[in-house]
Structure formats: structure tokens, C-alpha cells
């Protein structure tokens, strides 16, 4: 069993808001949401599904066409659900690159952050701790002290 201090020394620390470099879009400020156990979410408007393709307008009014890899039903609150297509993006945060990461496409026009990063991605891929008092620290070298 690891000692408490060793556990923290082995983890990367990220801020609540980090810039993710999303292939085809660019660097986007994204919110790390440890309470969201579902898919990552990327903003999409005018979403059209045609066969296995998803067409949508996203951040910075970029129009994208992506392969649909799945459909999911999301609980959006107050007992309401929403069916969303799932697409994959390659992305980078700090010096780490990730391929074929699934995102549901949902309208986040009323949200400040157009990408929501899920608990599962944080745990399984980033293996990081979130310092909610920090932002944009993924590129910084942080040393834990105790």
C-alpha cells in the first residue's frame, strides 16, 4: 500500500480550467468536472446526423464533420433526457497527447466553457488531481511539498 505522501507525489496537478488543444479546432479553455461521470462534452450547434456522420458548428463557429461512433442518452436535469451523438477527437493537454477520445456533442452555448472533461477521462487518462483554486497550470512544472 502506498503512503499518503507518495500517492500525491506521483500525481500531476491540474487546475479546474485547463486549455485542451483539440485537433481541428485549436486550444479551448475546458472545465475539468470531477462530478460528471458521463462522456466528455463538446459544444455543438446545428447538429445534423446523416448516417454515420455528424455535422455541427462548434467553438469559434468552426463547422465540423465527424464520424459518429455512438449515441448516448444524457440526463440533463429535472428528469429531462437528451440523446446526443458521440464523436472522437485527438487532443493534447500540457505535454500529453490522446487519440480517439469520445465526446458527446451538446449545445453548451449558455455555458462559459465549451468543453466539459469527464471524471472518467480525468481518472483513466490524465491520472491527475484537480486544484480548484488554479487555472491553466498543465504546462507548469509543479512540485509537491510536505
Amino acid at each position: 500500500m502506498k503512503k499518503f505522501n507518495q500517492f500525491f507525489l506521483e500525481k500531476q496537478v491540474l487546475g479546474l480550467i485547463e486549455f485542451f488543444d483539440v485537433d481541428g479546432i485549436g486550444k479551448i479553455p475546458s472545465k475539468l468536472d470531477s462530478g460528471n461521470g458521463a462522456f466528455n462534452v463538446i459544444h455543438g450547434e446545428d447538429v445534423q446526423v446523416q448516417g454515420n456522420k455528424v455535422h455541427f458548428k462548434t467553438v469559434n463557429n468552426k463547422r465540423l464533420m465527424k464520424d459518429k461512433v455512438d449515441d448516448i442518452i444524457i440526463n440533463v436535469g429535472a428528469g429531462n433526457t437528451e440523446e446526443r451523438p458521440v464523436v472522437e477527437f485527438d487532443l493534447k493537454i500540457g505535454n500529453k497527447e490522446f487519440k480517439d477520445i469520445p465526446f458527446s456533442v451538446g449545445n453548451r452555448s449558455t455555458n462559459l466553457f465549451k468543453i466539459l472533461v469527464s471524471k472518467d477521462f480525468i481518472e483513466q487518462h490524465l491520472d491527475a488531481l484537480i486544484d480548484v483554486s488554479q487555472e491553466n497550470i498543465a504546462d507548469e512544472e509543479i512540485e509537491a511539498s510536505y
Side-chain angles (χ1 to χ4, degrees):
M1 178 179 251
K2 289 183 187 177
K3 291 187 176 186
F4 185 75
N5 291 342
Q6 186 63 34
F7 173 80
F8 285 101
L9 290 173
E10 292 175 357
K11 298 288 183 178
Q12 179 181 12
V13 178
L14 299 174
L16 181 63
I17 309 303
E18 291 290 348
F19 277 90
F20 279 73
D21 191 353
V22 181
D23 188 41
I25 301 174
K27 284 192 173 185
I28 309 298
S30 307
K31 183 176 180 181
L32 280 67
D33 185 359
S34 62
N36 169 19
F39 278 93
N40 304 306
V41 184
I42 190 162
H43 172 66
E45 294 181 58
D46 303 324
V47 179
Q48 298 174 16
V49 178
Q50 297 174 337
N52 68 340
K53 299 289 184 188
V54 181
H55 303 264
F56 60 99
K57 184 171 68 172
T58 190
V59 182
N60 301 328
N61 287 321
K62 291 195 177 191
R63 284 215 155 278
L64 297 176
M65 179 178 68
K66 302 287 285 178
D67 289 335
K68 182 176 81 165
V69 297
D70 203 355
D71 285 301
I72 60 169
I73 296 176
I74 298 288
N75 179 349
V76 292
N80 298 317
T81 60
E82 180 178 298
E83 185 173 344
R84 294 181 183 169
V86 176
V87 299
E88 293 177 336
F89 284 95
D90 295 343
L91 53 94
K92 192 166 140 182
I93 178 171
N95 61 356
K96 294 182 179 180
E97 294 184 27
F98 304 94
K99 300 283 186 197
D100 302 324
I101 302 301
F103 284 82
S104 69
V105 180
N107 190 330
R108 295 187 54 80
S109 59
T110 60
N111 299 90
L112 182 58
F113 300 102
K114 304 307 179 197
I115 292 179
L116 191 63
V117 180
S118 75
K119 172 182 77 99
D120 290 348
F121 182 79
I122 297 165
E123 183 178 19
Q124 296 168 11
H125 296 283
L126 297 178
D127 191 28
L129 300 173
I130 302 170
D131 183 341
V132 297
S133 70
Q134 299 292 317
E135 293 185 6
N136 306 318
I137 60 174
D139 290 325
E140 297 177 13
E141 291 295 322
I142 297 173
E143 292 185 20
S145 60
Y146 54 96

